[in-house]
Amino acid sequence: MKKRKNRKKSRSNLKIGLAILLFVLVVLLFYELFFSDKYKEKKNAVIDASKPDIEVALLSVNPYSRPGLSTNKIRNIVVHYTANPGSTAMGNRNYFEGLKDSKITQASSNFVVGLEGEIVQCVPTWEVAYASNDRNLDSVSIEFCHLDESGVPNEDTYNSLVHLCAWLCLKFELNEEDIIRHFDVSGKNCPKYFVEDEAAFIAFKEDVKAAIDKGDQSLE
């Protein structure tokens, strides 16, 4: 009789222990999904279908342009302009690569959008790029090329910039309001066109929203 009671008590304790363990696991999972600062990206068919053509030309790991540090959860996409009229996406990427030898400054970007709409990836999104000051740890940076001192992107560059930003928003569960300018981080006049023409930046974000919506609807 006593043994039977002990077995019943043991089974009851086991059930309680399993229930507590399950509760702890659920809490940990909930925390990871909604409150963790760890890097994470969403993957599904819509995101895959929305991905633009990207030439991956990663920089060498070095202290001046690709430190190899891990990013946290991505909270913003930061848009910059190259401030180097007429330069190409690959030319800017090669400049970043050369900093490991010249050591003149620390600079880079995750992506560069070129004059023909080409997109070059220089640093993985899960690694820090030296572009956005104190936001390097929780943002993805994009530099876009431009033909002249006005800093205005041509049509091909603009369209690829919209496409890339929309895809990154889907990838990191962001929206168009999470796209900011370098100016919004540091006060620097960058990207010049979107800083000096606020309406143009608002219109750009509206175009990104339309592209996000199109991506969300593409497989419905």
Side-chain angles (χ1 to χ4, degrees), residues 108-149:
S108 58
S109 186
N110 295 100
F111 300 93
V112 185
V113 181
L115 297 173
E116 297 180 0
E118 73 277 19
I119 301 170
V120 175
Q121 183 171 14
C122 308
V123 178
T125 55
W126 54 85
E127 287 186 24
V128 165
Y130 284 142
S132 305
N133 303 75
D134 59 351
R135 297 300 310 280
N136 291 333
L137 275 171
D138 65 353
S139 65
V140 171
S141 56
I142 305 172
E143 297 251 7
F144 68 82
C145 297
H146 47 98
L147 285 169
D148 55 38
E149 295 288 348

Side-chain angles (χ1 to χ4, degrees), residues 146-163:
H146 47 98
L147 285 169
D148 55 38
E149 295 288 348
S150 71
V152 178
N154 66 29
E155 184 177 2
D156 290 338
T157 303
Y158 184 90
N159 289 340
S160 286
L161 183 62
V162 168
H163 191 174

Side-chain angles (χ1 to χ4, degrees), residues 76-92:
N76 290 101
I77 299 162
V78 186
V79 178
H80 309 247
Y81 82 137
T82 64
N84 187 10
S87 63
T88 65
M90 190 56 74
N92 282 280

Side-chain angles (χ1 to χ4, degrees), residues 24 26 36 59 67 83 103 125 138 160 168 183 187 189 211:
V24 170
V26 169
S36 174
L59 306 175
K103 303 178 182 179
T125 55
D138 65 353
S160 286
L168 289 170
F183 169 81
N189 190 21

